[in-house]
Amino acid sequence: DQQMTEQMKGWLLNTRKGLCVRENGEVEMSSIFNWFSGDFRPSVIKFMMPYLSKELQQKMIAAKFKPKKHFMEYDWGMNMRMPEMKDAEEAKGSIE
């Protein structure tokens, strides 16, 4: 659980991938929160709160949990497969 928590905090702090809170209270977040919004209960914003820094939590509270939301363009390049290895030795060498 601790590792998952740390990973979520790190991802949300990445303003190009997870979450970006503007000074005017507008929020830009990963498209994943749009596509799977039903998985984040009771709401996406409330789901995020425990993972945010105190400063970001205050910005979200100031926006009264109903900020104007924008979703980041998803980088599908991250999901591309690695080139296939020619043999097991090459594979073994790549993980050492």
Side-chain angles (χ1 to χ4, degrees):
D1 284 345
Q2 182 179 356
Q3 183 179 10
M4 181 71 86
T5 297
E6 293 303 316
Q7 291 294 315
M8 179 61 79
K9 285 180 180 181
W11 182 67
L12 286 173
L13 286 174
N14 184 328
T15 58
R16 295 182 62 202
K17 293 182 181 180
L19 177 71
C20 182
V21 181
R22 308 261 182 241
E23 291 301 320
N24 64 4
E26 290 186 4
V27 176
E28 187 173 10
M29 64 185 76
S30 171
S31 292
I32 291 171
F33 290 115
N34 185 27
W35 300 330
F36 301 102
S37 60
D39 293 340
F40 301 101
R41 301 279 183 217
S43 71
V44 170
I45 301 299
K46 289 182 181 179
F47 170 83
M48 288 181 189
M49 291 300 281
Y51 301 105
L52 302 178
S53 66
K54 295 292 182 199
E55 178 185 352
L56 285 177
Q57 286 178 0
Q58 292 302 317
K59 286 182 180 181
M60 299 296 264
I61 290 168
K64 298 182 180 15
F65 292 99
K66 293 185 179 181
K68 185 173 180 180
K69 295 181 255 182
H70 303 278
F71 296 98
M72 299 173 185
E73 188 173 323
Y74 189 77
D75 179 5
W76 290 99
M78 294 185 302
N79 295 9
M80 294 181 68
R81 289 179 42 185
M82 299 272 298
E84 291 186 29
M85 306 265 177
K86 292 182 182 174
D87 59 35
E89 281 302 311
E90 187 176 354
K92 181 181 174 200
S94 71
I95 60 173
E96 292 180 346

